[in-house]
Amino acid sequence: MFSKASLHFLKRTARRFSKLVSVNGKKYKVPSNFKEPAYDMNHIQNDSKVLLLRHGNTLFNLTYDKIFHDKGYGQEILDFWHDDNYRDSPLSEFGIEQCKYASQFADKLDIDMVLISPLRRTLQTAHYVLRNHPQKEEIKYVIHPGIREHVYGYCEMTRNWEKKYNEEYKHMFPNLDASLMLKEDGHYDELFYSKNFQPEVSEKFSGMSKKTIDHIIMEAARDNFPRAAESYESTCDRTLGVKEYVRNYLKNRNPENDHKKILLVTHCVTLRVWMGDWSGMSKPYQDFPKNSYWVSNCEFFPDTQYNYSSSL
């Protein structure tokens, strides 16, 4: 059974497939309220040193919309949201074409460093958007767990991350730095997405296996839906931590690169927290701050709000 809050959430996010869009000569059926990404170079090439990019459309995104179209509101959408088959969902064909189209604009940007969320969709997005960039070999690529997505379901959780990194991710980019994902034992953190959760959830994690922790997270996500297992306060805290990371990098980088941009490849909620600074936010999808933002899949967004030359 859905609570009133859950139904309210579903009704606000319901979409219907009734619009055709063309990307790179291919047509795709998308929700009627689909918003074309903005690629105005005057919008992108401004004085902001920091540019954010939301990942391209994913298999999760497409299937989620199709269930709304075919089934409407009901148990199917709750089951889908917590379907293990969509764990760490990759880009859809449509999403890959979005990235290839966006690369035409990315290629015109002077980029110094790219911060990438550890999730598959953001790593794939960065790869397809930047794979032909004229400065590809000089750009520094950093996998940063601080800009992962706010956890609602399996889509934000991974399986065999270290194996995928060694077999796939590290071959996508030159100069890829994954050191922020390393643990003291020299292995990569397979549970990076379990950090900074609601206290009543995270206190249960100590000494438990990944399988057990994943189960606890999903139980919490189901019980609290549409409220996430992770707190918005902690998402804001880790986002501020990444801002400080960027600030320090800008402060200490070679002055010859001062004209170049820092690009973050991240997610919807994390991007909105970054741009809207939701300090103390505890009610998801309610009482949005007036300075919050929405961006489409694979849309660039300049951060013009923060002064990266002073301390937070």
Side-chain angles (χ1 to χ4, degrees):
M1 293 293 291
F2 282 90
S3 67
K4 289 183 178 180
S6 298
L7 286 173
H8 178 65
F9 169 79
L10 293 173
K11 289 177 180 178
R12 289 183 62 181
T13 56
R15 291 170 278 185
R16 292 292 183 264
F17 278 55
S18 60
K19 180 177 180 180
L20 283 174
V21 298
S22 178
V23 182
N24 290 340
K26 298 180 180 179
K27 292 188 180 296
Y28 296 90
K29 204 169 186 181
V30 298
S32 57
N33 65 344
F34 174 80
K35 175 175 172 284
E36 296 281 0
Y39 296 121
D40 180 352
M41 290 309 295
N42 291 325
H43 174 67
I44 298 172
Q45 285 279 33
N46 60 14
D47 293 333
S48 173
K49 294 181 182 293
V50 178
L51 190 65
L52 298 102
L53 174 66
R54 187 186 176 197
H55 62 80
N57 183 274
T58 67
L59 291 178
F60 176 92
N61 296 146
L62 282 180
T63 310
Y64 182 71
D65 286 325
K66 189 174 188 305
I67 291 174
F68 269 129
H69 178 261
D70 295 342
K71 303 289 186 179
Y73 322 121
Q75 187 64 39
E76 290 89 348
I77 201 64
L78 180 60
D79 291 341
F80 166 72
W81 196 282
H82 306 106
D83 187 341
D84 190 29
N85 291 318
Y86 292 93
R87 183 189 289 258
D88 198 12
S89 179
L91 295 179
S92 64
E93 180 186 351
F94 177 41
I96 292 173
E97 291 300 324
Q98 283 182 313
C99 294
K100 291 177 180 178
Y101 183 74
S103 69
Q104 303 173 57
F105 301 88
D107 288 351
K108 299 174 184 178
L109 299 171
D110 280 327
I111 300 173
D112 183 17
M113 179 173 69
V114 180
L115 300 184
I116 313 168
S117 157
L119 291 167
R120 170 175 277 187
R121 55 193 180 273
T122 40
L123 286 157
Q124 288 182 324
T125 296
H127 167 68
Y128 284 113
V129 169
L130 298 169
R131 64 179 178 171
N132 296 318
H133 195 282
Q135 301 164 346
K136 177 180 177 179
E137 299 297 325
E138 290 76 46
I139 293 172
K140 179 181 180 182
Y141 304 88
V142 179
I143 298 178
H144 202 308
I147 54 172
R148 63 173 173 77
E149 182 60 302
H150 195 73
V151 177
Y152 279 100
Y154 274 124
C155 193
E156 282 71 64
M157 300 161 70
T158 64
R159 183 186 290 111
N160 300 323
W161 192 92
E162 185 165 8
K163 183 174 185 289
K164 289 177 182 175
Y165 170 77
N166 287 321
E167 295 181 356
E168 179 183 357
Y169 301 153
K170 74 178 183 181
H171 303 295
M172 289 178 170
F173 312 92
N175 310 313
L176 179 61
D177 180 358
S179 60
L180 294 174
M181 294 289 291
L182 282 171
K183 300 185 297 180
E184 291 182 359
D185 63 5
H187 288 285
Y188 292 101
D189 187 359
E190 296 279 355
L191 282 162
F192 65 89
Y193 51 84
S194 69
K195 308 301 188 292
N196 306 112
F197 267 60
Q198 305 282 10
E200 65 271 20
V201 178
S202 61
E203 67 185 10
K204 303 176 182 178
F205 292 165
S206 180
M208 291 185 173
S209 68
K210 181 179 185 299
K211 182 177 181 180
T212 302
I213 291 173
D214 283 356
H215 177 75
I216 293 172
I217 292 172
M218 290 313 302
E219 286 296 309
R222 276 185 171 274
D223 292 346
N224 295 325
F225 186 82
R227 183 170 179 260
E230 182 181 9
S231 71
Y232 274 77
E233 290 84 356
S234 64
T235 300
C236 187
D237 286 344
R238 63 179 166 83
T239 301
L240 291 173
V242 182
K243 286 185 178 181
E244 190 63 22
Y245 178 95
V246 171
R247 190 187 307 279
N248 288 333
Y249 182 82
L250 291 171
K251 178 181 178 181
N252 296 305
R253 73 175 174 177
N254 189 328
E256 293 180 358
N257 293 327
D258 280 351
H259 66 288
K260 294 185 177 181
K261 295 185 181 297
I262 309 299
L263 175 65
L264 281 73
V265 186
T266 184
H267 307 266
C268 179
V269 175
T270 304
L271 194 150
R272 295 184 74 173
V273 170
W274 185 287
M275 299 301 294
D277 194 12
W278 295 0
S279 305
M281 186 72 173
S282 60
K283 296 180 179 180
Y285 298 98
Q286 298 177 39
D287 305 321
F288 284 147
K290 292 181 180 179
N291 60 338
S292 66
Y293 293 85
W294 176 261
V295 290
S296 298
N297 288 114
C298 218
E299 182 174 4
F300 294 100
F301 213 86
D303 182 359
T304 57
Q305 294 197 53
Y306 290 92
N307 179 6
Y308 286 93
S309 62
S310 62
S311 298
L312 288 172

